[in-house]
Amino acid sequence: VAVAPLPEQREVLSGLLSQMCTAAGEALRLATAALVNEQERLALRVQASDAEIDALRARVEEIAFESMALHAPVAGDLRAIVAAIRCAGDIERMGDLAKHVAATAARQARGTLVPSTAREVLVEMARLGCAMAAKAAEVARTRNVILAIELDSDDDAMDRLLRDVFAMLLDPAWDHGIGAAVEVTLLARYYERFADHAVSVAKEVVYTVTGKPPESLAL
Amino acid sequence: VAVAPLPEQREVLSGLLSQMCTAAGEALRLATAALVNEQERLALRVQASDAEIDALRARVEEIAFESMALHAPVAGDLRAIVAAIRCAGDIERMGDLAKHVAATAARQARGTLVPSTAREVLVEMARLGCAMAAKAAEVARTRNVILAIELDSDDDAMDRLLRDVFAMLLDPAWDHGIGAAVEVTLLARYYERFADHAVSVAKEVVYTVTGKPPESLAL
């Protein structure tokens, strides 16, 4: 069996990670659409499609192990390959979180869980989360350090949205009861965690390229 | 510089992972004690102690990279070393989740957030989470497959406790308002995620030993 040279394997890994990020972002976008438009079939489709992200992760690990076993990489190459395994873990988790949103959407379609007043901020969180997944995809593919730094400020924006959600729930004007508050709390947390993992992916890549975390880079 | 032989490095890694699990379990136990007894100083101490777990993770990664770069391990050895990196990531996250409980405890000490009626089930979740961390520590140290399988049923028990929490919050008898419901929802999710990561650690170890996930092993 011909073994691909190391640089080629690294390119394949970058491509797969980028593809995983794109798929996770798309899953989050569709899960949120299913949530706000009460589309049960779409929600079920998103849940099922998570298996594709899991399969991509398995492929990343397979190539990474093959690469380590056959090329015995050192230094930067070794770091990049271990980083790929870690990034794949983060992105798989992004897919899981999108799946959690889809699961809520599927239940929601059989009886409203998320009041319309809460949907606007959740849609905003989803929009930001998708944009972050797209940036992480780009960072994985091109090792663009500036985009990675942007992700840090996107994450601050996500944290502000999370605080907005809590403020909305604690406002005396919230008249949708405890059940809806619990659902919205969990959903908001899913979006916020999704964003955290997108940031982690970008950090791993930048660390591999520069040997430094993105926030320490003066540009 | 003398390089330790590979089996010795693997033993060191197992020991560090075990130590990390023990520390994460202890952090969860103390954070929960701080929460239910409204001990702000204890809560702050637990938050600060998370840095020790982070340092252990860094040490695991350092040894793992050294081991891969110098010994170029293949097959089972390579899997075990990559698994150690992954486990360290899971256990660091367990520490973060204990820290989140401690952060809630610190805020709680300045004004009650978690009503006493909710404390019993949270204490039960913490107790189970600590027991699971202790088992994961033992699995990391001894590669005890039976304990790893036990962790799967512990995780089912944790999921039941999570459902108990939601049932309590949705019960009309819940008269502690939305703010407390939001706090309890997040706390319950932290315990449940802590447990998930303990299961992941055990699965990684068992997979390394047997080449199979624990649930597939007929005993």
Side-chain angles (χ1 to χ4, degrees):
Chain A
V1 184
V3 177
L6 188 52
E8 201 175 295
Q9 286 181 324
R10 283 190 56 180
E11 277 309 302
V12 171
L13 288 173
S14 297
L16 286 169
L17 293 176
S18 183
Q19 193 183 339
M20 285 182 79
C21 283
T22 303
E26 183 67 2
L28 192 70
R29 190 179 73 75
L30 293 174
T32 306
L35 183 76
V36 298
N37 303 321
E38 300 178 23
Q39 294 171 288
E40 187 176 14
R41 277 170 65 187
L42 178 57
L44 297 174
R45 189 148 59 79
V46 175
Q47 285 184 272
S49 71
D50 186 49
E52 293 164 28
I53 297 177
D54 296 349
L56 286 169
R57 180 194 182 169
R59 185 83 189 108
V60 166
E61 300 204 338
E62 199 181 316
I63 294 171
F65 273 97
E66 186 187 84
S67 189
M68 288 193 286
L70 299 174
H71 295 295
V74 293
D77 284 322
L78 178 58
R79 281 208 174 268
I81 287 164
V82 173
I85 294 176
R86 262 205 286 240
C87 286
D90 277 303
I91 312 170
E92 190 195 338
R93 185 74 201 138
M94 289 163 73
D96 289 344
L97 290 161
K99 192 177 173 182
H100 289 346
V101 173
T104 307
R107 285 185 291 121
Q108 147 104 11
R110 296 189 288 271
T112 301
L113 302 168
V114 178
S116 54
T117 44
R119 294 182 192 184
E120 196 180 321
V121 64
L122 295 176
V123 166
E124 186 61 23
M125 291 182 104
R127 200 201 50 74
L128 182 57
C130 292
M132 293 175 76
K135 285 181 193 174
E138 180 80 4
V139 171
R141 203 170 54 77
T142 64
R143 305 185 183 87
N144 179 330
V145 172
I146 294 175
L147 267 187
I149 294 173
E150 266 184 45
L151 273 167
D152 255 345
S153 59
D154 289 342
D155 198 38
D156 293 339
M158 184 64 94
D159 289 343
R160 283 194 295 277
L161 288 171
L162 184 66
R163 286 196 292 274
D164 289 348
V165 168
F166 292 143
M168 172 184 71
L169 296 176
L170 296 180
D171 193 301
W174 178 266
D175 56 0
H176 307 287
I178 304 274
V182 168
E183 294 290 350
V184 170
T185 298
L186 290 173
L187 285 165
R189 177 93 182 141
Y190 299 150
Y191 290 116
E192 184 247 343
R193 291 297 302 150
F194 183 97
D196 280 346
H197 287 287
V199 172
S200 292
V201 169
K203 282 197 173 161
E204 284 283 348
V205 172
V206 170
Y207 191 78
T208 301
V209 175
T210 66
K212 290 177 187 151
E215 62 272 22
S216 73
L217 301 172
L219 288 177
Chain B
V1 185
V3 178
L6 188 52
E8 202 176 293
Q9 286 182 324
R10 283 190 55 181
E11 277 310 301
V12 172
L13 288 173
S14 298
L16 286 169
L17 292 176
S18 183
Q19 194 182 338
M20 285 183 78
C21 283
T22 303
E26 184 65 2
L28 192 71
R29 191 180 71 74
L30 293 174
T32 307
L35 182 77
V36 298
N37 304 321
E38 299 178 23
Q39 293 171 289
E40 187 177 13
R41 277 171 64 187
L42 178 57
L44 297 174
R45 188 148 60 79
V46 176
Q47 285 183 273
S49 71
D50 187 49
E52 293 163 29
I53 297 177
D54 296 349
L56 287 168
R57 180 194 182 170
R59 185 82 189 110
V60 166
E61 300 204 336
E62 200 181 315
I63 295 171
F65 273 96
E66 185 187 83
S67 190
M68 288 194 287
L70 299 174
H71 294 297
V74 294
D77 284 322
L78 177 58
R79 281 208 173 269
I81 288 166
V82 172
I85 294 177
R86 263 205 285 240
C87 287
D90 276 303
I91 312 169
E92 191 196 337
R93 185 76 199 137
M94 289 163 72
D96 289 343
L97 290 161
K99 193 178 174 181
H100 289 345
V101 173
T104 307
R107 285 185 290 121
Q108 147 105 9
R110 295 189 288 270
T112 300
L113 302 167
V114 178
S116 54
T117 43
R119 293 182 192 184
E120 196 180 321
V121 64
L122 294 176
V123 166
E124 186 61 25
M125 291 182 102
R127 200 201 51 73
L128 183 56
C130 292
M132 292 174 76
K135 286 181 193 175
E138 180 80 6
V139 171
R141 203 170 55 77
T142 64
R143 305 187 182 83
N144 180 329
V145 173
I146 294 176
L147 267 187
I149 294 172
E150 266 184 46
L151 273 168
D152 255 344
S153 59
D154 289 342
D155 199 39
D156 293 340
M158 185 63 93
D159 289 342
R160 283 193 296 276
L161 289 171
L162 184 66
R163 285 196 293 275
D164 289 348
V165 169
F166 292 143
M168 173 184 71
L169 296 176
L170 297 180
D171 193 300
W174 178 266
D175 56 0
H176 307 287
I178 304 273
V182 168
E183 293 290 350
V184 171
T185 298
L186 290 173
L187 285 165
R189 177 93 183 141
Y190 299 150
Y191 290 115
E192 185 247 343
R193 291 297 303 150
F194 183 98
D196 280 346
H197 287 286
V199 172
S200 293
V201 169
K203 282 198 173 159
E204 283 282 349
V205 173
V206 170
Y207 191 78
T208 301
V209 175
T210 65
K212 287 176 190 152
E215 64 271 21
S216 73
L217 301 172
L219 289 177

